[in-house]
């Protein structure tokens, strides 16, 4: 147990270290000078002298004049204090607060869509392995869905349901005519804006899980224990129940592996719907060359993916007794 | 019947393989001859603005008056290029890491496993973004390189597991005892025995690379020179094709990506049946 989690923690720690270091490189090695862009954004009509003074001020503020190793150390110190610097594009707002205001939207999209498509996909896949006609419909639909680029499904849904039939709004997190409040009108507006991005993420994920589960079930039904149960005369429902449980294990590992792709998918989906989550913020920070914001967003995504991976690891140990008994580190 | 003859015999009789290959061949031919039918700069402003598909402009025009068909066929080329180069590079790295880790075992395996896990967990988008922004002028080849360098881990894992199960087989032991060098054992004993598996892995990497490229293009990190299917969708959304109802601008690129990647996956499943007699149900 300790060995298993020890190894996992080393991998995650190392990943975080490398990822954070790459993250630190972003504003420093990117083309373009973030300070100059901040100065030109704020310093309309300044004389050359005062522009220079402003640039010096910002260089000092961001600690960009220091030796490179010291900047790196300062980055870690600030990071551990939860300080990610200030946004250039949103004129000096702390990056942490900018991100925290966008995170709930992204989480509200990503968490339900991942879990629901995983759950529904697994059940459909298990059903498909049982009935020929279901198999013949689920397989092709599943392949088409997994092959669909996230943003294209989002665009199609927005076009058909939002533009042609005009059932759902296609931009924003809530209606522009409303102020955030705890009223039914506002919650309803939140929901109707949330629905299309959610369903498009849900659908793209669905196919892969269904196909994976179907293949695993067919494989498990061929395994010795299934054959043995069958030979003993166990009802096929029971055999399938055991097969399902065993087929679940690779699907749990797959959940962790797919997180990175799903997060990228969520980002582009948000962009299509102008949904006010991290994806839209990401695009804005790229377009405005706001490297501190960019840095902060990535750090958030990295931490989010690592935490989610760790949760999946814990779930895996809870579900698979073999990891608890041997803990040989296999599968790490 | 020889092994190759057998594969071919079943390949042309498996419906999935035929359907998949036909779709891929269709788009490949379109990519090759398309720019010959519509020569010239695909981004040139030649036609009327925002026209629906017609005899003159087969796929209509964008709201700037660019010919969507011309953009589409030239983008198809870069899509195949990204898939081939990106998937190929990922396949080579995955094979190298997988073979070495699986065959050597021990400390080498531990270290490579650690690296694989790290690359697997890092949201690759972050890496790609830094690299993409660092090179201001970049083409499709550079994009494919980035994709190849970040999408190999799962292939490495799968190949490692396969190598691991093969390396203690008798014929490998025999080769080792008779003093054959490790590199030669890997390439003449182990690799041929999983060649079908390697081929299938490459197909999946090919499709994956196309999808990743579309995502990158869509957030504006794609090639700065030339066109791509993701970039077409990005432009369509950025210039309100949705609100204006210019469906011919954003439907074709998505159809092409979905069809090509879906066809690759279906070919993959079909070939799996061809290589593995146990899966054949005829």
């Amino acid at each position: 147990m300790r060995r298993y989690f020890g190894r996992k923690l080393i991998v995650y720690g190392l990943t975080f270290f490398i990822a954070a270091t790459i993250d630190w490189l972003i504003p420093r090695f990117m083309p373009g000078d973030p300070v100059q862009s901040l100065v030109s954004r704020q310093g309309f009509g300044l004389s050359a002298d005062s522009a220079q003074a402003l640039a010096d001020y910002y260089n000092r503020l961001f600690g960009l004049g220091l030796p490179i190793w010291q900047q790196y150390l300062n980055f870690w110190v600030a990071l551990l204090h939860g300080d990610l610097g200030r946004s250039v594009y949103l004129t000096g707002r702390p990056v942490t607060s900018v991100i925290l205001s966008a995170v709930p939207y992204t989480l509200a999209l990503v968490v339900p869509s991942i879990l629901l498509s995983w759950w529904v996909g697994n059940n459909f896949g298990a059903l498909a392995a049982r009935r020929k006609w279901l198999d013949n419909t689920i397989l092709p639909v599943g392949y088409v869905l997994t092959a669909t680029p996230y943003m294209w499904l989002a665009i199609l849904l927005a076009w058909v349901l939002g533009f042609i039939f005009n059932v759902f709004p296609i931009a924003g997190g809530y209606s522009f005519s409303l102020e955030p409040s705890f009223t039914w009108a506002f919650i309803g507006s939140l929901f109707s804006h949330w629905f299309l991005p959610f369903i498009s993420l849900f659908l793209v994920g669905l196919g892969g899980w269904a196909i994976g589960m179907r293949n695993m079930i067919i494989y498990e039904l061929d395994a010795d224990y299934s054959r043995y149960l069958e030979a003993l005369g166990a009802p096929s429902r029971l055999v399938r129940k055991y097969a399902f449980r065993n087929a679940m294990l690779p699907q749990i590992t797959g959940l962790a592996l797919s997180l990175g792709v799903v997060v990228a998918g969520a980002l582009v989906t948000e962009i299509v719907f102008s949904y006010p989550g991290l994806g839209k913020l990401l695009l804005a920070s790229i377009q405005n060359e706001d490297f501190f914001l960019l840095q902060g967003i990535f750090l958030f995504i990295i931490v989010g993916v690592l935490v989610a991976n760790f949760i999946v690891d814990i779930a895996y140990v809870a579900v698979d007794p073999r990891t608890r008994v041997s803990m040989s580190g296999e599968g790490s | 019947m020889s092994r190759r003859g057998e594969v071919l015999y079943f390949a042309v009789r498996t419906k999935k393989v035929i359907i998949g290959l036909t779709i891929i061949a269709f788009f490949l031919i379109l990519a090759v001859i398309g720019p010959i039918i519509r020569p010239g700069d695909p981004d040139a402003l030649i036609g009327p603005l925002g026209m629906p598909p017609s005899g003159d402009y087969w796929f209509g025009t964008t709201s700037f008056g660019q010919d969507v068909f011309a953009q589409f066929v030239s983008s198809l080329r870069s899509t195949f290029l990204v898939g081939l180069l990106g998937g190929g590079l990922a396949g080579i790295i995955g094979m190298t890491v997988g073979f070495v880790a699986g065959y050597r075992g021990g400390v080498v395996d531990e270290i490579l496993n650690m690296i694989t896990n790290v690359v697997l967990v890092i949201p690759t988008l972050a890496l790609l973004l830094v690299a993409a922004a660092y090179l201001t002028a970049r083409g499709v080849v550079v994009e494919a390189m980035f994709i190849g360098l970040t999408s190999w881990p799962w292939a490495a894992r799968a190949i490692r597991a396969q190598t691991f199960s093969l390396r203690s087989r008798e014929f490998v032991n025999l080769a080792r005892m008779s003093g054959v060098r490790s590199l030669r054992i890997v390439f003449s004993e182990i690799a041929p025995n999983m060649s079908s598996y390697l081929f299938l892995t490459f197909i999946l990497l090919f499709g994956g690379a196309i999808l990743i490229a579309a995502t990158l293009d869509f957030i504006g990190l794609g090639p700065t020179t030339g066109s791509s299917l993701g970039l077409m969708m990005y432009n369509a959304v950025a210039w309100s094709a949705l609100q204006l109802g210019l469906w011919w601008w954003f439907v074709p690129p998505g159809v092409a990506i979905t069809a090509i990647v879906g066809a690759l996956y279906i070919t993959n499943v079909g070939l799996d049946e061809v290589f593995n007699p146990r899966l054949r149900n005829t």
Side-chain angles (χ1 to χ4, degrees), chain A residues 26 89 98-99 102 106 263-264 266-268 270-271 275-290 293-299 301, chain B residues 125-126 129 215-216 218-221:
Chain A
I26 293 179
Y89 143 68
V98 174
I99 293 176
T106 299
V263 166
L267 298 180
V268 291
E270 281 179 9
I271 293 172
Y275 202 70
L278 287 181
K280 200 178 157 227
L281 210 55
L282 178 78
L283 187 70
S285 66
I286 293 174
Q287 285 171 344
N288 293 289
E289 303 197 334
D290 186 346
L293 187 54
L294 197 60
Q295 200 181 17
I297 295 171
F298 274 125
L299 212 62
I301 294 174
Chain B
L125 197 68
L129 191 117
T215 306
L216 277 183
F218 194 74
I219 51 175
L221 297 172

Side-chain angles (χ1 to χ4, degrees), chain A residues 44-324:
Chain A
F44 278 123
L46 282 183
S47 67
D49 277 354
S50 40
Q52 186 55 44
L54 197 59
D56 286 345
Y57 168 71
Y58 279 123
N59 268 324
R60 225 170 340 143
L61 185 67
F62 296 134
L64 290 174
L66 297 169
I68 210 93
W69 60 269
Q70 206 167 353
Q71 288 187 32
Y72 185 62
L73 277 184
N74 286 347
F75 167 74
W76 275 100
V77 171
L79 186 64
L80 297 175
H81 284 97
D83 177 11
L84 296 169
R86 285 170 185 277
S87 161
V88 176
Y89 143 68
L90 293 159
T91 48
R93 258 181 80 191
V95 165
T96 318
S97 88
V98 174
I99 293 176
L100 282 180
S101 65
V103 163
Y105 287 100
T106 299
L107 283 182
L109 270 187
V110 172
V111 174
S113 63
I114 290 182
L115 292 180
L116 212 61
S117 73
W118 186 76
W119 188 75
V120 174
N122 277 332
N123 280 296
F124 265 123
L127 276 177
R130 206 177 313 181
R131 291 192 184 79
K132 195 72 196 159
W133 66 269
L134 248 179
D135 199 20
N136 287 337
T137 43
I138 283 184
L139 261 193
V141 173
Y143 279 116
V144 170
L145 283 180
T146 34
T148 312
Y150 279 96
M151 59 284 185
W152 190 59
L153 191 67
I155 294 173
L156 277 193
L157 285 174
W159 177 54
V160 175
L161 291 177
F163 180 74
I164 298 182
F165 292 105
N166 213 357
V167 199
F168 287 101
I170 55 173
Y174 49 85
S175 169
F176 294 119
S177 60
L178 292 172
E179 282 281 313
S181 57
F182 263 111
T183 56
W184 285 117
F186 181 71
I187 293 170
S189 168
L190 266 185
F191 179 79
S192 67
H193 282 80
W194 168 85
F195 185 76
L196 278 188
F198 160 77
I199 205 78
S200 96
L201 280 174
F202 168 77
L203 283 176
V204 176
L206 195 60
W209 297 125
I211 292 168
M213 191 51 164
R214 170 203 174 263
N215 294 346
M216 281 313 299
I217 289 263
I218 288 175
Y219 175 78
E220 292 292 342
L221 285 178
D222 215 31
D224 286 341
Y225 71 91
S226 306
R227 289 271 163 89
Y228 179 63
L229 261 184
E230 251 173 77
L232 284 181
S236 71
R237 265 191 66 174
L238 188 70
V239 183
R240 283 176 191 284
K241 205 175 123 191
Y242 280 110
F244 185 76
R245 286 182 162 194
N246 279 302
M248 222 42 187
L249 297 175
Q251 293 292 86
I252 293 177
T253 320
L255 189 63
L257 296 185
S258 74
L259 283 173
V261 176
V262 178
V263 166
L267 298 180
V268 291
T269 306
E270 281 179 9
I271 293 172
V272 172
F273 290 103
S274 312
Y275 202 70
L278 287 181
K280 200 178 157 227
L281 210 55
L282 178 78
L283 187 70
S285 66
I286 293 174
Q287 285 171 344
N288 293 289
E289 303 197 334
D290 186 346
F291 300 125
F292 293 102
L293 187 54
L294 197 60
Q295 200 181 17
I297 295 171
F298 274 125
L299 212 62
F300 248 81
I301 294 174
I302 290 160
V303 171
V305 170
L306 287 179
V307 168
N309 262 288
F310 196 63
I311 293 174
V312 173
D313 281 338
I314 294 173
Y316 196 88
V317 173
V319 173
D320 188 353
R322 282 172 301 184
T323 40
R324 265 170 286 161

Side-chain angles (χ1 to χ4, degrees), chain A residues 3 7-8 10-12 14-15 18-19 22-23 25-26 29-31 132 139-140 143-152 154-156 158-159 163 170-171 214 218-219 222 253 257 260 263-265 267-269 271-272 282-283 286-287 291 294 298 301-302 305-306 309 331-332, chain B residues 16 110 113-115 117-127 129-131 133-136 154 157 211 213-216 218-221 230 233-234 236-237 241-247 250-263 265-266 268-269 278-279 281:
Chain A
R3 189 176 140 86
R7 288 171 73 111
K8 289 285 183 192
I10 291 174
V11 169
Y12 291 144
L14 196 64
T15 310
I18 294 173
I22 293 171
D23 200 45
L25 294 173
I26 293 179
F29 288 87
M30 292 284 230
K132 195 72 196 159
L139 261 193
Y143 279 116
V144 170
L145 283 180
T146 34
T148 312
Y150 279 96
M151 59 284 185
W152 190 59
I155 294 173
L156 277 193
W159 177 54
F163 180 74
I170 55 173
R214 170 203 174 263
I218 288 175
Y219 175 78
D222 215 31
T253 320
L257 296 185
V263 166
L267 298 180
V268 291
T269 306
I271 293 172
V272 172
L282 178 78
L283 187 70
I286 293 174
Q287 285 171 344
F291 300 125
L294 197 60
F298 274 125
I301 294 174
I302 290 160
V305 170
L306 287 179
N309 262 288
S332 66
Chain B
K16 290 182 187 120
E110 293 268 325
N113 212 359
M114 201 68 114
I115 297 173
N117 280 325
V118 169
V119 181
L120 202 61
V121 183
I122 287 183
T124 47
L125 197 68
L127 282 175
L129 191 117
V130 181
Y134 191 51
L135 290 162
T136 37
W154 72 264
R157 259 194 182 188
L211 284 181
T215 306
L216 277 183
F218 194 74
I219 51 175
L221 297 172
M233 285 192 266
Y234 170 77
V237 170
L242 269 177
Q243 286 79 3
L244 300 171
L246 307 178
W247 54 267
F250 56 79
V251 169
V255 169
I257 294 178
T258 309
I260 293 172
V261 177
Y265 288 169
I266 290 172
N268 182 60
V269 179
R278 273 177 59 194
L279 293 175
N281 47 10

